[in-house]
Amino acid sequence: MDFSLDEEQLELQELTREFARNEIRPVAGEYDEKNEFAMEVMEKAFAVGFLTSGIPEEYGGTGFSSLTNAVVCEELAWGCAGMYTSMMANTLATTPIVLFGTDEQKRQWLEPMTREMTFACFGLTEREAGSDNAAIKTTAVKNGDEYVINGSKTFITNAGVAKFGVMFASTDPTRGARGLSAFIVLMDAPGVTVGKHENKMGHRASNTAEIFFDDVHIPAANLLRREGFGFIIAMKTLDYARPAVGAGGVGVARAAYEEALEYSRNRIQFGQPVAHFQHNAFKLADIATQIESARLMVYRSAWMLDQGIKASKESAMAKVLATDVAMHVTVEAVQLMGGYGYMKEYPVEKMMRDAKLLQIYEGTNEIQKHVISLEILGKH
């Protein structure tokens, strides 16, 4: 058993931390306030390789392992959760192609992303089908060598900036979730319309929008694997995504903890730093412990995926633990800083807003517990 990162991972951790410190943090508040996509930062992130981290090296990408990706995600979210979300949404979108695409599909869709900055999106959620994938209403009807897609998707990260997306639609509505299929869809195809950029509580530097499909014709060659395989594609993709979300939770929690620790050491009340009062000292000890435990769970689930070990339960556990820790730590950080923590002049109020979404997207924490319980109790 080895808890150490290798030399390459440590170098990448330091590189990412410097990128977050120098390129993300100085402008994070501005992009949050403006509710604006951070395109200039994304261009720098593409140059470093963060936008292609999920693409294997043989197709020109950075090819991070799940563990390396978790290390990077923590640092990016430490910089700004919204910008981290924009970057990692690319990996969420490319993972189905990496896992289930043919070599021809990988070369067609992944290789161009490594040559020029390209965004992609992952379209699963609908207004009436969030956690319940069997309720998806978007349909794909085969017509010769094409599929015709009708329906809509909601709360889709990168929708307004994406060149293409992996979209889930029903090819056999009578089979519920088992009738779902996954398709690669160009976002500028006739019949595709993207809604307004949503005005969110947090992650405001990321683009989130609805997508509408009105008789959208796509080549049959854009189907991933086969008809009826979409649910498996979605679930396997989310298994790989959850450690990255957990790592984002660790990054946000660590950032809030560091702010609260620094403030508590320097804020003098009753003749001493407020960190020296036992109640505050124990609170700092508790949240430091929670962050460490969350990171270990994230690393373990990512390591399991890298070893080819089924990690549905462990990935869900990591996501639940780390994002709950992020929410708890950010609330405690605001409390430790009192009135100052509540002011936008200090970054912890933004971190608290950002932490909330981590408990919701890529499967709510309630759904994660459902996944865990199925693994514990057996699916029957």
Side-chain angles (χ1 to χ4, degrees):
M1 187 174 291
D2 186 355
F3 291 99
S4 62
L5 300 175
D6 63 33
E7 186 176 340
E8 183 178 344
Q9 288 167 332
L10 289 170
E11 289 178 359
L12 190 55
Q13 182 183 53
E14 183 59 32
L15 182 151
T16 310
R17 188 172 298 169
E18 286 302 305
F19 182 89
R21 180 180 291 113
N22 298 328
E23 306 296 344
I24 295 179
R25 282 201 157 190
V27 295
E30 177 185 348
Y31 280 107
D32 176 78
E33 187 72 24
K34 292 180 178 179
N35 192 34
E36 183 179 304
F37 187 74
M39 189 64 77
E40 290 184 6
V41 177
M42 294 301 116
E43 290 171 353
K44 296 173 182 177
F46 170 71
V48 178
F50 295 143
L51 297 185
T52 56
S53 62
I55 299 176
E57 290 181 358
E58 63 186 292
Y59 298 102
T62 316
F64 291 166
S65 67
S66 291
L67 179 55
T68 300
N69 193 52
V71 171
V72 168
C73 284
E74 178 181 335
E75 300 306 324
L76 293 175
W78 175 83
C80 172
M83 295 185 209
Y84 140 84
T85 291
S86 300
M87 297 179 207
M88 289 306 108
N90 260 20
T91 299
L92 179 64
T94 57
T95 296
I97 303 174
V98 171
L99 294 179
F100 298 99
T102 63
D103 181 67
E104 183 179 350
Q105 286 173 328
K106 292 173 186 177
R107 296 199 181 282
Q108 178 182 355
W109 298 101
L110 302 182
E111 286 186 348
M113 296 181 73
T114 69
R115 294 192 289 266
E116 63 176 293
M117 186 173 71
T118 305
F119 294 98
C121 60
F122 180 86
L124 184 63
T125 302
E126 298 182 5
R127 282 185 175 270
E128 303 302 324
S131 300
D132 182 8
N133 296 321
I136 284 177
K137 301 299 184 187
T138 299
T139 59
V141 178
K142 193 167 187 184
N143 182 15
D145 60 355
E146 292 185 327
Y147 283 91
V148 182
I149 300 178
N150 283 281
S152 64
K153 300 292 174 181
T154 193
F155 304 143
I156 306 302
T157 302
N158 284 355
V161 295
K163 183 176 182 178
F164 70 88
V166 173
M167 302 296 162
F168 293 83
S170 180
T171 46
D172 186 353
T174 65
R175 298 189 66 208
R178 297 189 180 278
L180 293 179
S181 302
F183 301 89
I184 305 169
V185 181
L186 281 169
M187 296 298 288
D188 62 357
V192 177
T193 305
V194 178
K196 64 178 177 63
H197 172 49
E198 299 287 1
N199 189 12
K200 307 186 296 292
M201 175 193 292
H203 293 242
R204 291 166 59 81
S206 68
N207 176 273
T208 307
E210 283 191 284
I211 307 172
F212 303 93
F213 307 99
D214 183 12
D215 285 338
V216 178
H217 292 251
I218 65 166
N222 289 16
L223 171 70
L224 286 174
R225 189 60 68 94
R226 64 175 183 269
E227 285 190 13
F229 211 70
F231 181 74
I232 294 173
I233 292 174
M235 294 303 102
K236 185 62 70 173
T237 297
L238 292 172
D239 279 352
Y240 276 83
R242 284 163 184 156
V245 178
V250 174
V252 171
R254 195 185 96 218
Y257 164 71
E258 290 172 358
E259 291 288 339
L261 179 62
E262 181 68 17
Y263 176 88
S264 300
R265 282 170 167 166
N266 292 295
R267 173 68 168 170
I268 305 298
Q269 291 288 279
F270 304 102
Q272 63 179 320
V274 296
H276 289 183
F277 293 105
Q278 188 180 68
H279 176 76
N280 291 335
F282 280 15
K283 186 174 290 190
L284 289 165
D286 283 342
I287 62 179
T289 302
Q290 291 162 13
I291 291 168
E292 290 294 330
S293 62
R295 183 184 292 112
L296 286 172
M297 179 67 83
V298 168
Y299 281 8
R300 177 172 180 251
S301 63
W303 174 85
M304 289 177 69
L305 290 169
D306 288 336
Q307 302 306 309
I309 302 171
K310 184 176 184 292
S312 299
K313 178 181 69 176
E314 289 78 10
S315 292
M317 286 176 168
K319 199 267 189 183
V320 168
L321 178 63
T323 60
D324 282 354
V325 164
M327 193 72 248
H328 175 71
V329 170
T330 55
V331 170
E332 291 285 52
V334 170
Q335 189 69 23
L336 279 162
M337 295 176 66
Y340 292 102
Y342 198 69
M343 299 298 145
K344 286 185 177 292
E345 180 182 352
Y346 292 82
V348 291
E349 68 84 28
K350 172 185 178 296
M351 294 169 189
M352 187 173 75
R353 289 186 284 108
D354 286 341
K356 188 67 232 175
L357 184 57
L358 296 172
Q359 295 178 303
I360 296 171
Y361 71 8
E362 295 191 33
T364 66
N365 282 7
E366 290 73 21
I367 284 295
Q368 306 308 315
K369 292 174 184 178
H370 177 62
V371 170
I372 297 164
S373 68
L374 289 178
E375 293 291 328
I376 292 171
L377 301 173
K379 294 189 170 87
H380 302 291

